[in-house]
Amino acid sequence: MRPLLFAALLAAVTCTAVPAHAGLFDRNPEKLAEEAQSAGLGAVSIWIDVSWGFRTQGAANHLNKAHQAFADRGYKVLSVEPYIENGDLEGFFVTYQKP
């Protein structure tokens, strides 16, 4: 009975709450930053794919581009988590937050 009650309560809260955080997964960080700002998101997580091309300098360039796009719109970097699969760097999950 308790698991059913908990599930119903969780569903009610989830359906009525407005998200303050969203995940946006695309290749253009400028577009993502603009969408996050126009939606008024307090925090946003994006995926930066570095699996194609150079993983060393290319990864740094992708991160710098995304950081700059979000910084221009008032966001700060909250976390950067690399995703490694089978020993290869595939990309980063980056979370930005407005102070």
Side-chain angles (χ1 to χ4, degrees):
M1 181 69 171
R2 283 186 185 211
L4 183 59
L5 180 62
F6 178 73
L9 181 61
L10 182 62
V13 170
T14 305
C15 293
T16 59
V18 176
H21 177 274
L24 301 174
F25 304 101
D26 197 42
R27 286 219 179 260
N28 187 344
E30 291 85 10
K31 178 182 163 192
L32 297 175
E34 187 177 315
E35 288 175 12
Q37 183 182 27
S38 66
L41 297 177
V44 62
S45 293
I46 67 169
W47 167 252
I48 299 177
D49 186 9
V50 297
S51 60
W52 296 101
F54 300 102
R55 289 190 172 100
T56 54
Q57 189 61 30
N61 288 339
H62 290 307
L63 282 173
N64 287 337
K65 190 175 176 183
H67 290 347
Q68 188 61 51
F70 279 89
D72 290 346
R73 289 162 180 85
Y75 287 89
K76 289 186 170 186
V77 177
L78 185 64
S79 71
V80 177
E81 296 294 327
Y83 176 69
I84 298 171
E85 186 176 315
N86 296 329
D88 292 328
L89 177 64
E90 297 294 326
F92 298 94
F93 290 102
V94 184
T95 301
Y96 298 96
Q97 181 179 27
K98 276 207 174 184

